[in-house]
Amino acid sequence: MSVVDNAIYVDGRRAVVPTSLDHTFDELKACPTDGHTFCWIGMLRPSGEEIQAVAEEFGLHSLAVEDTVTAHQRPKLERYGDLLFVVLRPARYVDAVEVVEIGEVHLFVGPDFVITVRHAEEPDLAAVRKRLEADPDLLHHGPHAVLYAVLDKVVDDYAPVLDGLQDDIDEIEVQVFGGDPGVSKRIYTLTREVIEFQRAVEPLQELFTELRERLKENAGASDLELRRALRDVADHATRVMERIEGFRQLLTNILTVNAALVGQRQNEEMARMTQAGYDQNEQVKRISSWAAILFAPTLVASIYGMNFDVMPELHWALGYPFAVLLMVLLGTGLYLSFKRRGWL
């Protein structure tokens, strides 16, 4: 069976511990309907048949039962007559892999019963039950006290998630300004996690509003402290939402800064490549200029170095000085020409 705990409470104290769901149903029918007696059935990953059995006994609405069987619901509070159906999305930060895991808890809250259905190991509602059983005055408020305690547990568990996300953002800021090329992927992944976390928390504002209206309709002097406690949890949820919104804005700014830094680094790299190309071009021009200067006398010398008997000025007495002078003039002319163009 998926029932992890099952008890009947009378005046805020555990009075009966049934051995089965059938036993629970029988014992609850035998208890006085004075408003201070209720049962709390805790279930973990129940099958469709188990949920249907509980639904038939307590008259749960078919739409709420369908949502529980299907799971993957957004946080909400729905009213079906005297029945409240509440969906919560608890979260926990897995430090080993630096991810946020979003769970799901369903609560059926009736006049004399509470049924909690978990689809994941977290949160540990055994701690919530232990806390309530240690405070009979609070548990005396009945099923709504259980709903309050579960809400308080879910919202309190958001705090470590916020701290984990804050650490991740701090690390990302270091990576961004350190020029880590893989930081863009991490920013995107963390943004997705923050958005999923926001989707789990944002509907709580509407949920608390509807719950306060429900309690006002059945207001009693003894419920004043419970309403105050719920208001305190709602304030905590508001602060959580404000921090999440701050994270989203900060990640958006970080992404913008990272894009600017990447663009700046690309521009600097392009400038370096352009400068390197310019320097290389200047070197090529210098080399080409000196090669041309050296080529002119080499051409003259190679012509007059040919072994032919009949050549102009071959036997001319001034032929050698003329050839040397021609080499000097050609080299000097080329040098001055390249110098004027800035190649040398």
Side-chain angles (χ1 to χ4, degrees):
M1 292 291 291
S2 61
V3 178
V4 294
D5 204 343
N6 180 16
I8 295 177
Y9 297 90
V10 179
D11 293 329
R13 302 183 184 278
R14 182 186 283 243
V16 182
V17 182
T19 57
S20 66
L21 289 178
D22 290 337
H23 188 195
T24 303
F25 304 150
D26 295 337
E27 288 291 337
L28 190 60
K29 291 176 182 177
C31 291
T33 56
D34 55 1
H36 301 296
T37 301
F38 71 97
C39 71
W40 179 2
I41 302 173
M43 309 181 77
L44 175 63
R45 299 191 185 95
S47 65
E49 292 77 11
E50 291 173 331
I51 295 177
Q52 287 294 342
V54 175
E56 291 175 3
E57 184 64 32
F58 289 103
L60 306 182
H61 197 278
S62 60
L63 292 178
V65 173
E66 181 181 351
D67 287 345
T68 300
V69 173
T70 306
H72 304 293
Q73 305 294 316
R74 66 184 295 274
K76 61 182 179 179
L77 183 150
E78 295 180 346
R79 301 170 60 176
Y80 300 97
D82 292 336
L83 174 69
L84 291 181
F85 175 60
V86 181
V87 178
L88 301 176
R89 299 301 302 272
R92 72 186 186 103
Y93 183 80
V94 184
D95 190 61
V97 291
E98 296 184 337
V99 298
V100 178
E101 289 186 353
I102 307 296
E104 191 167 349
V105 176
H106 296 182
L107 294 94
F108 296 90
V109 182
D112 58 353
F113 65 88
V114 177
I115 302 168
T116 55
V117 180
R118 288 184 293 151
H119 293 278
E121 295 293 336
E122 297 292 333
D124 182 13
L125 296 186
V128 177
R129 191 184 290 261
K130 184 178 180 180
R131 170 199 169 188
L132 285 172
E133 291 179 352
D135 188 356
D137 291 337
L138 177 59
L139 195 55
H140 182 77
H141 292 284
H144 285 116
V146 177
L147 176 57
Y148 151 74
V150 174
L151 281 167
D152 190 41
K153 170 67 173 175
V154 170
V155 173
D156 283 348
D157 286 349
Y158 289 154
V161 178
L162 293 172
D163 293 339
L165 290 174
Q166 182 67 67
D167 291 341
D168 287 345
I169 292 174
D170 292 342
E171 293 174 3
I172 283 176
E173 288 179 334
V174 174
Q175 288 180 277
V176 166
F177 292 103
D180 189 339
V183 71
S184 296
K185 180 179 179 181
R186 189 176 183 189
I187 294 173
Y188 174 78
T189 301
L190 187 60
T191 301
R192 288 291 302 271
E193 291 182 4
V194 170
I195 291 174
E196 289 297 321
F197 188 29
Q198 185 177 32
R199 289 174 179 171
V201 178
E202 191 171 21
L204 290 181
Q205 301 300 323
E206 181 181 352
L207 186 149
F208 279 113
T209 300
E210 294 182 8
L211 184 56
R212 284 196 295 267
E213 291 178 357
R214 166 78 176 193
L215 291 178
K216 284 181 181 179
E217 292 176 2
N218 303 291
S222 61
D223 294 330
L224 178 60
E225 290 301 320
L226 182 60
R227 294 200 301 273
R228 289 175 176 171
L230 279 169
R231 187 164 54 249
D232 182 65
V233 178
D235 290 341
H236 290 172
T238 300
R239 286 195 290 271
V240 171
M241 192 62 211
E242 290 173 350
R243 287 193 65 185
I244 294 174
E245 185 61 32
F247 288 164
R248 286 197 62 178
Q249 294 178 2
L250 185 57
L251 285 169
T252 300
N253 293 338
I254 290 174
L255 188 60
T256 302
V257 171
N258 183 61
L261 291 176
V262 170
Q264 180 181 351
R265 286 192 290 268
Q266 290 176 342
N267 292 337
E268 291 174 353
E269 184 64 24
M270 289 296 295
R272 284 195 293 269
M273 293 178 62
T274 302
Q275 183 62 40
Y278 175 79
D279 294 341
Q280 185 178 16
N281 189 44
E282 291 296 312
Q283 294 297 328
V284 170
K285 289 193 293 185
R286 289 188 179 92
I287 294 172
S288 300
S289 300
W290 284 112
I293 293 171
L294 294 175
F295 174 74
T298 302
L299 178 63
V300 175
S302 62
I303 292 174
Y304 281 92
M306 296 180 182
N307 296 321
F308 293 100
D309 289 335
V310 182
M311 289 184 65
E313 295 86 25
L314 184 64
H315 299 287
W316 184 33
L318 297 177
Y320 174 75
F322 174 77
V324 173
L325 179 61
L326 180 60
M327 294 180 191
V328 172
L329 290 175
L330 287 174
T332 303
L334 289 173
Y335 176 82
L336 293 176
S337 176
F338 291 139
K339 188 71 173 178
R340 186 167 53 252
R341 296 183 181 181
W343 287 25
L344 291 174

